[in-house]
Amino acid sequence: MTNRVLLNNVEHADLRVITRHGPEFGDAINQALVLPTELEAAQREYPIFLRRDANGEYQAVVLLGLDRDENLFLDDGGWQARYVPAVQQRGPFSIALQEGRDGAEPMIHIDLDHPRVSRTEGEPLFLPAGGNAPYLQHVARLMGVIYDGLEISRAFYEALEAAGLIEPISVEVKLNDREEYVLPDLFTISQDRLAGLPASDLERLNQAGVLRAAYMVIASLGNMSRLIDAKNRKLAAL
């Protein structure tokens, strides 16, 4: 159950948010959604794949582990990467349209029942005089990344699909004689098809802001070796 309300500095003046990461906050996952607006940051850390959601539409995910509920970037010290996906950073916050003087505007809401919300621990949301604390300013920027990413997602993946760049990929990971993983239902960007596109298609994708992101998805697959190394270290420590 959730208890989402519009965030304000009167009723929520003393609220704090726990920012550390751990299984108790929903971080023990082997995949996390990433939006087109954060692919540049995500590709430096994680392998990125595409998959279809429940409605059959494409979305990008970063691979965090090989087993169910396994996040190889998470340990007792927190999330060990330079970038944490926005949906995992956002914690109790969400964006909803609120009617204002100039029509519907996206406003930050907070789930008061979320395990990160506290009145005694964590980062304050508001300054004593009522202004936004630095952490809430960070949240506002983060929610902008999410909101903008959701706004462009459909057109982004439609452009990739229309150009014939999305293809299924078979991900098979063999660690040793006993440990082998096959990850189904994943897609990637075809490097060969991208290289073979005519200049007019490349220009169209570039103007739409899609071309650079396509190269980022391809480049991110080099991070599979980092993920496999982390899995091997985990197995060696057992």
Side-chain angles (χ1 to χ4, degrees):
M1 296 294 292
T2 59
N3 182 18
R4 288 194 179 94
V5 297
L6 179 65
L7 183 66
N8 67 83
N9 62 358
V10 176
E11 296 174 279
H12 310 132
D14 61 341
L15 285 189
R16 293 174 172 266
V17 171
I18 302 167
T19 59
R20 68 177 182 273
H21 290 277
E24 66 271 28
F25 302 119
D27 293 322
I29 51 175
N30 65 4
Q31 294 180 19
L33 173 72
V34 287
L35 298 162
T37 44
E38 56 180 332
L39 289 179
E40 181 174 358
Q43 63 89 25
R44 299 188 185 107
E45 300 290 319
Y46 315 102
I48 301 172
F49 295 96
L50 308 185
R51 64 179 313 155
R52 293 186 185 272
D53 63 15
N55 297 318
E57 296 186 357
Y58 287 108
Q59 58 182 200
V61 295
V62 291
L63 188 64
L64 304 174
L66 299 176
D67 284 308
R68 183 180 178 86
D69 301 328
E70 177 184 64
N71 184 347
L72 293 168
F73 296 87
L74 188 69
D75 61 22
D76 293 339
W79 196 301
Q80 303 302 323
R82 292 169 294 180
Y83 181 77
V84 177
V87 292
Q88 296 304 121
Q89 286 192 61
R90 72 175 181 177
F93 300 101
S94 60
I95 288 277
L97 295 178
Q98 195 85 9
E99 286 297 329
R101 287 178 297 181
D102 299 322
E105 299 179 3
M107 304 290 286
I108 296 179
H109 288 60
I110 186 168
D111 176 10
L112 297 177
D113 291 339
H114 195 279
R116 289 189 181 274
V117 174
S118 172
R119 296 185 187 274
T120 60
E121 180 185 1
E123 295 291 332
L125 298 181
F126 298 103
L127 300 173
N132 292 350
Y135 174 68
L136 186 54
Q137 295 174 13
H138 164 73
V139 168
R141 291 190 295 269
L142 181 69
M143 299 312 292
V145 169
I146 294 174
Y147 183 80
D148 292 344
L150 291 173
E151 286 286 292
I152 68 171
S153 279
R154 176 169 290 183
F156 177 82
Y157 294 113
E158 285 178 350
L160 289 173
E161 192 169 20
L165 295 178
I166 300 177
E167 66 177 7
I169 183 172
S170 177
V171 180
E172 300 179 5
V173 178
K174 188 171 183 179
L175 301 176
N176 51 48
D177 292 339
R178 295 177 293 105
E179 302 287 343
E180 186 173 357
Y181 296 87
V182 178
L183 309 180
D185 305 322
L186 296 178
F187 299 82
T188 191
I189 305 299
S190 171
Q191 189 168 3
D192 290 340
R193 292 178 192 170
L194 183 58
L197 284 180
S200 58
D201 287 349
L202 291 172
E203 179 62 21
R204 185 163 50 251
L205 290 173
N206 186 50
Q207 290 180 350
V210 175
L211 183 60
R212 189 160 181 260
Y215 281 114
M216 289 176 186
V217 172
I218 294 170
S220 77
L221 298 184
N223 290 320
M224 277 299 297
S225 60
R226 180 184 180 191
L227 192 78
I228 292 170
D229 288 345
K231 181 64 173 180
N232 279 326
R233 288 195 299 270
K234 180 180 177 181
L235 291 174
L238 296 178

